[in-house]
Amino acid sequence: MNTRLRIVTLTLLLSLASTASGQPKEFNYDESKVPKFNLPDPLKLSNGDSVKDAAAWRSERRPQVLELFREHVYGRSPKKPRRVFAEVVESGQALEGRATRKQVDIRLQRDGGPVLHVLIYSPAKSNGPTPAFLGLNFNGNHTVSNDPAVPVTKNWVRRGKNNRASADSRGTSASRWQVDRIVKRGYSLVTLYYGDIDPDFDDGFKNGIHPLYLKKGQAKPAADEWGSIAAWAWGLSRVLDYLHTDESIDQTKVAVIGHSRLGKTSLWAGAEDPRFAIVISNNSGCGGAALSRRRFGETVKRINTSFPHWFCDNFNKYNDNENELPVDQHMLVALMAPRPVYIASAEQDRWADPRGEFLSAKFAEPVYRLLNAGGLGAEQMPAVDKPVADRLGYHIRTGKHDVTAYDWDRYLDFADKHYGR
Ligand code: GCU
């Protein structure tokens, strides 16, 4: 091999390796190169006045911050519909009798339109309604456990021949869902495939739930209207509407959880819908818990370029222009206050900027304090595998971008703590 060829080959191999580890090159992973920036103050009204008390936060500043995120980041979603149409299509025993399973189809219209196929595992031995974790899954309900009673999704999937799932993928995401652990601790798990709400590719919003809500003459959502993340979040709220009618679930104790793009989604769901009692974001990164202004790992420009359908079109204005954003992601966390929020990072997941994820929780604290809700219980970012938790919780665990049993143990402990269990 001549030298030139060798260099080309080496460069190619290196770039493949960096992509495989989820850390594309040409982005900053060096803390000393994080630009200096000023964060917008969650406790300053748009006219510059300070938010003096909890009442002013609730009645003035919180609605203002929520509108800013709708207008500039995720887009506006339709109003809560008067009702959803739910039908229990199957139920039975699971996990060798340790759990019960229920499958519920939710429709947004009486006839036609997308169907949200919801899978619920509850502890077999429970007397009364149980608290629940509600989260979207990436690859279909059949991947969440090895349970043969769960049908293989028929929807478009990212992985799979011709974007169709097969029975081979049954149980392949089981380590991310830890059903046994969850039910053993007395919680239900409620999950559905995010592609039931909106398939995750850029098709100009022709599929999924967006077309149901277009105004007359509109071909796609306007620049301040919902992208896919907001649609997934809105779908989670529709599942919550159903859970409010399901007597096996304690509707006051539903935590919303998500990983990665779906961790961005769980944060937005929690911000838009205060009925979620706890909000959990696992390795959510850019557009999730990580501060955009840090430009560490993934940037606003990169996310808008690679995933043009995730955010609203207005978010493109902040490509390479983060300092002009009227918000940053600490204000997203603050929208949850005084509800408990848990943010988790992984040591090798530098693309998602672990420090930026921690700092969002940290800089949301003033709002929690104003509401007398405590804070994070730590001044500094904790060491790896040393979780901190007060009303806000955070950990960075050993390992890669993923959801693991370690993460779930922290979330279960956090829920127990806040529910007084
Ligand atoms: C990509 C994307 C991230 C996202 C992740 C995921 O890496 O850049 O923003 O969180 O996919 O959802 O798996």
PDB file of all heavy atoms in Angstrom, residues 372-385:
ATOM      1  N   ASN A 372     -39.348  26.392  47.228  1.00  0.00           N
ATOM      2  CA  ASN A 372     -39.087  25.620  48.456  1.00  0.00           C
ATOM      3  C   ASN A 372     -39.043  24.124  48.200  1.00  0.00           C
ATOM      4  O   ASN A 372     -39.566  23.336  48.987  1.00  0.00           O
ATOM      5  CB  ASN A 372     -40.182  25.874  49.495  1.00  0.00           C
ATOM      6  CG  ASN A 372     -39.806  27.041  50.362  1.00  0.00           C
ATOM      7  OD1 ASN A 372     -38.608  27.238  50.635  1.00  0.00           O
ATOM      8  ND2 ASN A 372     -40.785  27.832  50.742  1.00  0.00           N
ATOM      9  N   ALA A 373     -38.473  23.750  47.092  1.00  0.00           N
ATOM     10  CA  ALA A 373     -38.523  22.335  46.698  1.00  0.00           C
ATOM     11  C   ALA A 373     -37.158  21.655  46.798  1.00  0.00           C
ATOM     12  O   ALA A 373     -36.970  20.577  46.245  1.00  0.00           O
ATOM     13  CB  ALA A 373     -39.062  22.223  45.280  1.00  0.00           C
ATOM     14  N   GLY A 374     -36.211  22.270  47.476  1.00  0.00           N
ATOM     15  CA  GLY A 374     -34.883  21.639  47.574  1.00  0.00           C
ATOM     16  C   GLY A 374     -34.127  21.842  46.289  1.00  0.00           C
ATOM     17  O   GLY A 374     -34.364  22.796  45.547  1.00  0.00           O
ATOM     18  N   GLY A 375     -33.214  20.938  46.006  1.00  0.00           N
ATOM     19  CA  GLY A 375     -32.393  21.092  44.800  1.00  0.00           C
ATOM     20  C   GLY A 375     -31.789  19.771  44.421  1.00  0.00           C
ATOM     21  O   GLY A 375     -32.479  18.749  44.389  1.00  0.00           O
ATOM     22  N   LEU A 376     -30.506  19.810  44.171  1.00  0.00           N
ATOM     23  CA  LEU A 376     -29.798  18.635  43.664  1.00  0.00           C
ATOM     24  C   LEU A 376     -29.058  17.906  44.781  1.00  0.00           C
ATOM     25  O   LEU A 376     -28.716  16.742  44.645  1.00  0.00           O
ATOM     26  CB  LEU A 376     -28.826  19.137  42.593  1.00  0.00           C
ATOM     27  CG  LEU A 376     -28.134  18.219  41.628  1.00  0.00           C
ATOM     28  CD1 LEU A 376     -29.121  17.316  40.902  1.00  0.00           C
ATOM     29  CD2 LEU A 376     -27.384  19.056  40.593  1.00  0.00           C
ATOM     30  N   GLY A 377     -28.780  18.608  45.851  1.00  0.00           N
ATOM     31  CA  GLY A 377     -28.047  17.994  46.946  1.00  0.00           C
ATOM     32  C   GLY A 377     -26.572  17.831  46.635  1.00  0.00           C
ATOM     33  O   GLY A 377     -25.915  16.954  47.199  1.00  0.00           O
ATOM     34  N   ALA A 378     -26.039  18.621  45.718  1.00  0.00           N
ATOM     35  CA  ALA A 378     -24.601  18.554  45.405  1.00  0.00           C
ATOM     36  C   ALA A 378     -24.184  19.865  44.773  1.00  0.00           C
ATOM     37  O   ALA A 378     -24.919  20.422  43.952  1.00  0.00           O
ATOM     38  CB  ALA A 378     -24.321  17.412  44.435  1.00  0.00           C
ATOM     39  N   GLU A 379     -23.042  20.355  45.139  1.00  0.00           N
ATOM     40  CA  GLU A 379     -22.528  21.580  44.526  1.00  0.00           C
ATOM     41  C   GLU A 379     -21.821  21.275  43.221  1.00  0.00           C
ATOM     42  O   GLU A 379     -21.949  21.982  42.235  1.00  0.00           O
ATOM     43  CB  GLU A 379     -21.564  22.298  45.485  1.00  0.00           C
ATOM     44  CG  GLU A 379     -22.265  23.051  46.608  1.00  0.00           C
ATOM     45  CD  GLU A 379     -23.453  23.886  46.120  1.00  0.00           C
ATOM     46  OE1 GLU A 379     -23.289  24.652  45.146  1.00  0.00           O
ATOM     47  OE2 GLU A 379     -24.559  23.747  46.689  1.00  0.00           O
ATOM     48  N   GLN A 380     -21.029  20.206  43.252  1.00  0.00           N
ATOM     49  CA  GLN A 380     -20.203  19.845  42.093  1.00  0.00           C
ATOM     50  C   GLN A 380     -20.784  18.628  41.396  1.00  0.00           C
ATOM     51  O   GLN A 380     -21.504  17.847  41.999  1.00  0.00           O
ATOM     52  CB  GLN A 380     -18.784  19.467  42.558  1.00  0.00           C
ATOM     53  CG  GLN A 380     -18.074  20.533  43.369  1.00  0.00           C
ATOM     54  CD  GLN A 380     -17.803  21.781  42.550  1.00  0.00           C
ATOM     55  OE1 GLN A 380     -17.621  21.706  41.331  1.00  0.00           O
ATOM     56  NE2 GLN A 380     -17.834  22.941  43.193  1.00  0.00           N
ATOM     57  N   MET A 381     -20.353  18.450  40.152  1.00  0.00           N
ATOM     58  CA  MET A 381     -20.719  17.231  39.442  1.00  0.00           C
ATOM     59  C   MET A 381     -20.126  16.031  40.191  1.00  0.00           C
ATOM     60  O   MET A 381     -18.943  16.021  40.509  1.00  0.00           O
ATOM     61  CB  MET A 381     -20.136  17.288  38.037  1.00  0.00           C
ATOM     62  CG  MET A 381     -20.543  16.107  37.205  1.00  0.00           C
ATOM     63  SD  MET A 381     -20.168  16.447  35.473  1.00  0.00           S
ATOM     64  CE  MET A 381     -20.431  14.843  34.759  1.00  0.00           C
ATOM     65  N   PRO A 382     -20.948  15.049  40.520  1.00  0.00           N
ATOM     66  CA  PRO A 382     -20.424  13.922  41.301  1.00  0.00           C
ATOM     67  C   PRO A 382     -19.512  13.019  40.469  1.00  0.00           C
ATOM     68  O   PRO A 382     -19.543  13.064  39.240  1.00  0.00           O
ATOM     69  CB  PRO A 382     -21.689  13.166  41.709  1.00  0.00           C
ATOM     70  CG  PRO A 382     -22.688  13.505  40.671  1.00  0.00           C
ATOM     71  CD  PRO A 382     -22.364  14.891  40.186  1.00  0.00           C
ATOM     72  N   ALA A 383     -18.725  12.212  41.174  1.00  0.00           N
ATOM     73  CA  ALA A 383     -17.849  11.244  40.496  1.00  0.00           C
ATOM     74  C   ALA A 383     -18.700  10.158  39.841  1.00  0.00           C
ATOM     75  O   ALA A 383     -19.889  10.001  40.158  1.00  0.00           O
ATOM     76  CB  ALA A 383     -16.908  10.622  41.516  1.00  0.00           C
ATOM     77  N   VAL A 384     -18.084   9.426  38.960  1.00  0.00           N
ATOM     78  CA  VAL A 384     -18.762   8.331  38.261  1.00  0.00           C
ATOM     79  C   VAL A 384     -19.297   7.312  39.282  1.00  0.00           C
ATOM     80  O   VAL A 384     -18.619   6.974  40.244  1.00  0.00           O
ATOM     81  CB  VAL A 384     -17.769   7.666  37.276  1.00  0.00           C
ATOM     82  CG1 VAL A 384     -18.371   6.429  36.640  1.00  0.00           C
ATOM     83  CG2 VAL A 384     -17.370   8.668  36.207  1.00  0.00           C
ATOM     84  N   ASP A 385     -20.539   6.893  39.051  1.00  0.00           N
ATOM     85  CA  ASP A 385     -21.216   5.906  39.904  1.00  0.00           C
ATOM     86  C   ASP A 385     -21.461   6.385  41.339  1.00  0.00           C
ATOM     87  O   ASP A 385     -21.587   5.566  42.251  1.00  0.00           O
ATOM     88  CB  ASP A 385     -20.475   4.557  39.917  1.00  0.00           C
ATOM     89  CG  ASP A 385     -20.412   3.944  38.522  1.00  0.00           C
ATOM     90  OD1 ASP A 385     -21.317   4.208  37.704  1.00  0.00           O
ATOM     91  OD2 ASP A 385     -19.447   3.205  38.235  1.00  0.00           O
TER      92      ASP A 385
END
